[in-house]
């Protein structure tokens, strides 16, 4: 079922239709898309907008993580929770920041750990699109959020897509690294075949937990070292 099935497409359903029409990077075969569940959720988002709500990110960024990182090219998975709830900050990639001004606290901690881990300074911005193009799937468990209401769409049904995507990467990729930050991400560890893939689990980079196991966990160098032992090129994190 495409996004246009069942009626005229609005902003989010039209974006879904474009995503599927352009091939969806191999993700379109997931039951979440094939069954029409994605179309149902996108129609719900369009109704929310028509009722005066402000949904983030904008429609063309909703599936950006999957567009930039096709399934056959996934080498690393980093799982986030939901988009930044401030307009202009989120652009469809977990932890990535498209806004101006100070970076979100979790992203500042990610950059701090990366610089300590790799011994080099980070780029002076929060856009992680270059990671996605390197084969790092930056996927949130909820693809949408209400402006000013973090977590508002966590129970909308997006979690089924997160589960199916993790399962697909585990089943189809020969070698991948799953970086799971925090208890909610680590709860999906059972979806990963650890006989073929590496799981790096630690505390979340949030200021509330970064000092309880995130700082010093060295996920970036560990991921690259393991990929190289598997005959895969390292990720150019910097």
């Amino acid at each position: 079922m495409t996004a246009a099935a069942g009626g005229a497409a609005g902003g989010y359903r039209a974006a879904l239709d474009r995503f599927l029409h352009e091939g969806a990077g191999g993700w379109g075969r997931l039951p979440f898309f094939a069954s029409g569940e994605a179309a149902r959720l996108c129609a719900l988002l369009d109704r929310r907008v028509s009722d005066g709500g402000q949904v983030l990110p904008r429609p063309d960024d909703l599936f950006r993580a999957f567009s930039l990182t096709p399934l056959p090219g996934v080498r690393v998975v980093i799982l986030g929770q939901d988009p930044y709830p401030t307009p202009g900050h989120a652009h469809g990639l977990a932890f990535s920041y498209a806004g101006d001004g100070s970076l979100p606290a979790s992203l500042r901690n990610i950059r701090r750990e990366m610089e300590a881990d790799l011994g080099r300074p980070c780029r002076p911005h929060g856009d992680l699109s270059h990671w996605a193009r390197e084969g790092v799937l930056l996927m949130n468990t909820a693809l949408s959020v209400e402006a000013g209401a973090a977590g508002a769409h966590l129970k909308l049904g997006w979690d089924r897509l997160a589960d199916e995507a993790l399962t697909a990467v585990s089943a189809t990729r020969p070698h991948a690294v799953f970086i799971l930050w925090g208890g909610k991400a680590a709860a999906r560890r059972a979806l990963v075949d650890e006989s073929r893939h590496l799981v790096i689990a630690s505390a979340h980079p949030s200021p509330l937990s970064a000092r309880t196991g995130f700082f010093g966990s060295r996920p970036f160098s560990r991921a690259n070292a393991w990929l190289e032992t598997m005959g895969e090129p390292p990720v150019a994190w910097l």
Side-chain angles (χ1 to χ4, degrees), residues 44-56:
L44 190 155
L45 298 184
D46 284 331
R47 288 196 298 273
R48 181 73 188 107
V49 171
S50 67
D51 290 339
Q54 187 173 10
V55 176
L56 305 173

Side-chain angles (χ1 to χ4, degrees), residues 17-237:
D17 192 44
R18 288 191 294 273
F19 172 69
L20 295 176
H21 179 73
E22 292 167 1
W27 300 106
R29 294 189 296 271
L30 296 182
F32 183 84
F33 295 107
S35 69
E37 180 64 9
R40 183 190 70 81
L41 286 183
C42 287
L44 190 155
L45 298 184
D46 284 331
R47 288 196 298 273
R48 181 73 188 107
V49 171
S50 67
D51 290 339
Q54 187 173 10
V55 176
L56 305 173
R58 63 190 185 89
D60 283 343
D61 285 335
L62 190 67
F63 299 105
R64 192 161 185 259
F66 302 96
S67 295
L68 289 185
T69 312
L71 177 57
V74 175
R75 296 190 289 146
V76 178
V77 177
I78 295 179
L79 192 63
Q81 183 167 287
D82 64 339
Y84 297 124
T86 301
H89 288 188
H91 62 146
L93 304 176
F95 296 105
S96 188
Y97 177 72
D100 297 321
S102 298
L103 298 180
S106 291
L107 182 55
R108 288 201 303 271
N109 286 339
I110 290 170
R111 288 165 57 88
R112 173 179 168 182
E113 175 61 21
M114 183 164 56
E115 290 182 342
D117 185 7
L118 303 179
R120 292 171 54 195
C122 295
R123 296 182 180 189
H125 57 73
D127 186 346
L128 304 180
S129 297
H130 61 290
W131 288 9
R133 296 187 179 96
E134 282 280 312
V136 181
L137 179 64
L138 295 167
M139 177 178 60
N140 281 313
T141 55
L143 299 194
S144 62
V145 70
E146 296 275 341
H153 290 182
L154 288 177
K155 296 182 179 180
L156 210 60
W158 291 116
D159 54 324
R160 176 181 163 189
L161 173 58
D163 290 348
E164 290 181 6
L166 287 173
T167 300
V169 172
S170 180
T172 64
R173 299 296 296 136
H175 310 293
V177 181
F178 293 77
I179 298 177
L180 306 178
W181 290 328
K184 291 181 179 179
R188 288 181 160 82
R189 186 169 188 160
L191 300 174
V192 180
D193 179 358
E194 294 190 53
S195 69
R196 299 191 312 139
H197 306 295
L198 174 67
V199 173
I200 299 175
S202 74
H204 194 276
S206 161
L208 298 176
S209 57
R211 296 184 183 280
T212 65
F214 174 74
F215 289 137
S217 62
R218 306 192 66 189
F220 309 102
S221 62
R222 290 166 62 192
N224 277 355
W226 185 85
L227 286 170
E228 290 185 284
T229 65
M230 296 294 110
E232 300 282 345
V235 175
W237 299 106

